[in-house]
Amino acid sequence: MLVRPLVGIFLQMSIDKEIVEEFLNESKSLIDELIDLLESIEGNFSQVKKLADYGNNVDRIMGGAKSLALMAPPEHAIHLIADYSALCKAVGYKASQITDNEKFFDVCVAILLDATENLRELLNNIHQNVESLKEEIPEAFIERLRWVSKQFNESYSMSVGLGSADQGKMKQTDIDELLKKLGL
């Protein structure tokens, strides 16, 4: 009985502007680090494992966005940013496990560069309407992201350093669900 009134209060809450600004500042700093990392390994297959560092850093953005999303109304852009970051994280972690395909590594780095620039734009426009933000993500990018994600088979983990063999696996259907949730 108490849950319904609490849910109503929770949905009416808004995100504190100061917290959003702190999130944006930290995220923008991380974006700069992500771009630097990707540019430093671009064309250098021997650095493939560094994509796990990319995944770790974009996971920090995702975690912050998901935490803020708990305080945000359902139509707030922070939800889009959280889900978009989850896609970046999945591709980064999966790409860090490429062992024998230098050209695919190059494609993954390129798509992550584009994805990170898109994430920067989402962050810069966090106060805009979600639907207008979705329209800003180029369709060609979405198609490349779908193609890349389908190249990873089930043996690629969406995270690194986990104990259980089944833990951390992201199936293609999970990636498709994220894309669908994003409305892409």
Side-chain angles (χ1 to χ4, degrees), residues 122-142:
L122 292 175
L123 290 164
N124 286 338
N125 297 297
I126 193 170
H127 301 294
Q128 283 188 14
N129 175 301
V130 172
E131 292 307 314
S132 66
L133 282 179
K134 287 179 184 178
E135 291 173 11
E136 296 297 316
I137 302 171
E139 186 61 36
F141 168 75
I142 302 302

Side-chain angles (χ1 to χ4, degrees), residues 112-159:
L112 288 172
L113 277 164
D114 287 347
T116 307
E117 288 295 342
N118 288 336
L119 182 56
R120 182 192 316 260
E121 288 306 308
L122 292 175
L123 290 164
N124 286 338
N125 297 297
I126 193 170
H127 301 294
Q128 283 188 14
N129 175 301
V130 172
E131 292 307 314
S132 66
L133 282 179
K134 287 179 184 178
E135 291 173 11
E136 296 297 316
I137 302 171
E139 186 61 36
F141 168 75
I142 302 302
E143 291 307 312
R144 287 190 325 228
L145 182 61
R146 281 192 180 113
W147 180 85
V148 163
S149 69
K150 288 179 180 168
Q151 304 311 302
F152 296 113
N153 62 39
E154 301 301 317
S155 69
Y156 288 87
S157 176
M158 69 172 230
S159 60

Side-chain angles (χ1 to χ4, degrees), residues 72-130:
E75 69 279 356
H76 196 283
I78 197 71
H79 298 282
L80 176 69
I81 291 167
D83 292 337
Y84 189 89
S85 299
L87 279 172
C88 293
K89 172 188 165 185
V91 172
Y93 279 146
K94 287 181 175 235
S96 74
Q97 300 164 58
I98 298 170
T99 57
D100 60 355
N101 192 337
E102 189 171 338
K103 290 193 184 304
F104 186 50
F105 163 79
D106 291 339
V107 169
C108 289
V109 170
I111 195 111
L112 288 172
L113 277 164
D114 287 347
T116 307
E117 288 295 342
N118 288 336
L119 182 56
R120 182 192 316 260
E121 288 306 308
L122 292 175
L123 290 164
N124 286 338
N125 297 297
I126 193 170
H127 301 294
Q128 283 188 14
N129 175 301
V130 172

Side-chain angles (χ1 to χ4, degrees), residues 15-30 58-69 76-78 81-82 85 119 122-123 126:
I15 304 174
D16 182 275
K17 289 181 183 183
E18 188 175 314
I19 294 172
V20 171
E21 287 306 312
E22 285 179 36
F23 165 75
L24 289 173
N25 289 336
E26 183 175 344
S27 295
K28 288 175 183 178
S29 175
L30 287 168
V58 82
D59 183 44
R60 291 172 55 196
I61 296 171
M62 182 191 78
K66 285 189 177 209
S67 294
L68 286 175
H76 196 283
I78 197 71
I81 291 167
S85 299
L119 182 56
L122 292 175
L123 290 164
I126 193 170

